[in-house]
Amino acid sequence: MKKIVFVLLMGITYYIAGMYQYQSLMVLFLAECFIFVGMYVLVKYFKWGLSVELEKRNEFAEKNETIRCGIKIRNRGRLSISRFKLRIRCEYNNKETIVRNLYGGSECGEEFVHYEIEPRYCGILQTKLVFLQVYDYMALFSARTKLKEEMRIAVFPAERRMNIELPAFGSCRSYQLQLMTTDYTGDDSYEVRQIREYQEGDSRRHIHWNQSARTDKIWMKEYEKEADNHVQFYLDTTGFEKAKEERRDAFYELLSAMVMGMLQKVPMVQVNWYEDQQNGLHVKEIYNYEQCKEMLYLFYNMVHEKKNGVTIESRQEELRMDMESAFRLDIELRWYQGEKLIYQFTQESLEQEIEQKLFVIWG
């Protein structure tokens, strides 16, 4: 619009200068022509000199936590830029797109600008810089540069624990959970399986004193029989590619709360899922919340890369011994033990179901 008005002004100036032979108006017309051409050249110079770059390529955050993202602005030219527009697009798996425009100016050299994002869903949130548009001082012309800058933000659920009562510690491979209340004293009757860092609730009698003294960290001995006390948990990936972000978010929230709830009763939860026919079964052992987030991150990437999920039913014969007693969760928020449906969660009431319900598993 400004360009059209300026061109009309130039035409009026030229017409009056020619009609009434005003030399001063003719000089003004030439000055307007010089400004018009000068602004066109200037915006091309600004386009060449200005570049943007994301401060980070990967970030981790909790759902509904405000994330402060940094962008480095670099002006290689000798003139300051009064105005630019940066188009930013945020999306989950190429869906649920949020578009924002960031306006600003740039002095010579480098500087940082920031913008804030509040993730609404768990999963992989992609932040892309789409284009950078610069303007001349009079905003008559603009020039646009396409960008390929991208940042991936892994968004995790907040740490919550579902109220789950298991009959006793025991291996869920058979899930005939015999009562096993032996306190491991660290004698030779139990073989040490591995040494791991201290976790809240660990017994002092299992501390590896020599290793702890050498590293200034508390390390624990984990024994074979202790490690065998775990829960098997399978994820049915059927339908993930077609599921909306709200449903995926509910699945992630529920999975995290279930795993953390079970870890209050058993030392370890083993989460399993099939990525595809080529990669087969993926197994992740979880002892704490940090490892739960690692498991979610691996699962996020599998979903983000759109690998075809393999249904649990399609491997029924292979997993028959496990599936007789193992837990299973699918995208419809159905929680199974073997083939028995324990509970059908609802997306709308999920918060209340996680916080208020008590689930007693009898084995």
Side-chain angles (χ1 to χ4, degrees):
M1 185 64 184
K2 288 185 178 181
K3 187 190 303 183
I4 296 175
V5 172
F6 194 85
V7 171
L8 289 175
L9 180 61
M10 290 173 58
I12 293 173
T13 303
Y14 179 76
Y15 174 78
I16 296 176
M19 178 67 70
Y20 297 101
Q21 299 296 312
Y22 287 159
Q23 293 185 354
S24 57
L25 288 179
M26 187 58 68
V27 173
L28 178 60
F29 170 74
L30 294 176
E32 291 171 343
C33 291
F34 177 79
I35 291 173
F36 191 80
V37 174
M39 292 298 104
Y40 177 79
V41 174
L42 188 63
V43 80
K44 297 298 182 182
Y45 176 72
F46 287 164
K47 178 183 178 181
W48 166 83
L50 191 65
S51 62
V52 297
E53 180 181 350
L54 284 166
E55 185 178 8
K56 297 180 180 179
R57 292 291 184 272
N58 294 282
E59 186 63 274
F60 302 92
E62 285 190 2
K63 179 181 171 182
N64 296 324
E65 172 189 359
T66 300
I67 306 171
R68 187 174 171 85
C69 304
I71 301 176
K72 182 171 71 174
I73 309 291
R74 184 185 179 192
N75 184 0
R76 300 193 301 268
R78 296 180 178 274
L79 298 174
S80 62
I81 298 174
S82 60
R83 185 186 179 210
F84 67 79
K85 179 173 74 173
L86 181 62
R87 174 68 57 84
I88 303 170
R89 186 170 67 232
C90 303
E91 60 188 25
Y92 289 89
N93 301 303
N94 300 316
K95 302 175 183 178
E96 302 291 339
T97 301
I98 303 172
V99 177
R100 298 178 58 182
N101 293 323
L102 182 64
Y103 295 92
S106 176
E107 300 293 334
C108 299
E110 294 183 356
E111 59 182 319
F112 281 89
V113 297
H114 295 86
Y115 66 98
E116 294 183 345
I117 302 175
E118 187 173 304
R120 296 181 296 173
Y121 308 117
C122 299
I124 297 293
L125 173 62
Q126 288 180 289
T127 298
K128 299 179 180 180
L129 304 185
V130 183
F131 66 79
L132 176 66
Q133 191 166 359
V134 294
Y135 300 85
D136 62 79
Y137 294 133
M138 298 181 66
L140 298 177
F141 298 95
S142 65
R144 180 179 296 186
T145 302
K146 291 184 178 180
L147 303 173
K148 296 182 179 180
E149 291 286 310
E150 179 179 326
M151 178 173 67
R152 286 161 52 100
I153 304 172
V155 184
F156 299 107
E159 182 177 359
R160 293 190 297 178
R161 293 174 171 85
M162 184 180 291
N163 297 314
I164 302 175
E165 290 292 341
L166 299 176
F169 288 177
S171 172
C172 277
R173 184 163 293 276
S174 64
Y175 213 81
Q176 302 301 317
L177 293 172
Q178 297 94 2
L179 186 62
M180 299 179 65
T181 58
T182 304
D183 288 329
Y184 302 121
T185 60
D187 58 28
D188 294 337
S189 61
Y190 301 109
E191 183 180 350
V192 176
R193 179 176 184 266
Q194 66 176 3
I195 299 174
R196 57 174 173 81
E197 288 192 46
Y198 172 80
Q199 300 167 15
E200 185 177 354
D202 285 342
S203 173
R204 289 172 55 87
R205 71 184 66 186
H206 301 155
I207 295 177
H208 193 299
W209 295 106
N210 292 336
Q211 183 71 11
S212 300
R214 286 195 296 267
T215 62
D216 292 329
K217 291 183 179 180
I218 301 178
W219 293 88
M220 307 299 297
K221 298 177 183 178
E222 184 179 284
Y223 298 91
E224 285 290 348
K225 292 191 177 181
E226 179 185 2
D228 286 341
N229 300 329
H230 68 276
V231 169
Q232 291 272 9
F233 205 110
Y234 289 89
L235 306 182
D236 191 338
T237 58
T238 308
F240 255 88
E241 187 172 342
K242 297 180 180 179
K244 294 184 178 180
E245 289 307 318
E246 292 88 347
R247 177 52 61 90
R248 294 184 185 184
D249 175 71
F251 179 89
Y252 298 139
E253 289 274 8
L254 182 56
L255 172 59
S256 176
M258 279 184 175
V259 171
M260 296 309 298
M262 292 175 181
L263 285 177
Q264 294 184 104
K265 304 300 178 182
V266 294
M268 185 263 283
V269 176
Q270 181 175 301
V271 180
N272 313 271
W273 70 87
Y274 276 100
E275 292 193 9
D276 53 29
Q277 297 288 354
Q278 180 178 358
N279 295 318
L281 184 67
H282 193 103
V283 179
K284 179 66 177 177
E285 295 182 353
I286 301 172
Y287 295 89
N288 52 46
Y289 180 58
E290 290 302 316
Q291 291 176 332
C292 181
K293 291 198 293 185
E294 292 175 10
M295 176 272 296
L296 287 171
Y297 186 64
L298 292 172
F299 195 82
Y300 288 168
N301 286 321
M302 185 272 292
V303 175
H304 183 73
E305 294 168 8
K306 295 184 177 179
K307 293 181 179 178
N308 295 321
V310 179
T311 66
I312 292 297
E313 287 77 6
S314 67
R315 298 296 183 97
Q316 186 69 36
E317 183 177 354
E318 180 181 341
L319 302 176
R320 185 176 64 254
M321 294 300 295
D322 290 330
M323 289 300 297
E324 287 179 357
S325 53
F327 294 114
R328 173 162 56 99
L329 181 66
D330 63 21
I331 191 61
E332 299 301 326
L333 309 183
R334 293 182 295 235
W335 183 21
Y336 293 89
Q337 181 187 353
E339 296 302 317
K340 177 184 176 182
L341 178 65
I342 298 176
Y343 191 78
Q344 168 75 67
F345 293 87
T346 60
Q347 184 176 314
E348 296 75 18
S349 304
L350 186 62
E351 294 287 332
Q352 292 78 10
E353 291 170 336
I354 290 177
E355 297 291 341
Q356 299 175 9
K357 285 189 175 295
L358 172 64
F359 296 91
V360 180
I361 310 300
W362 295 104

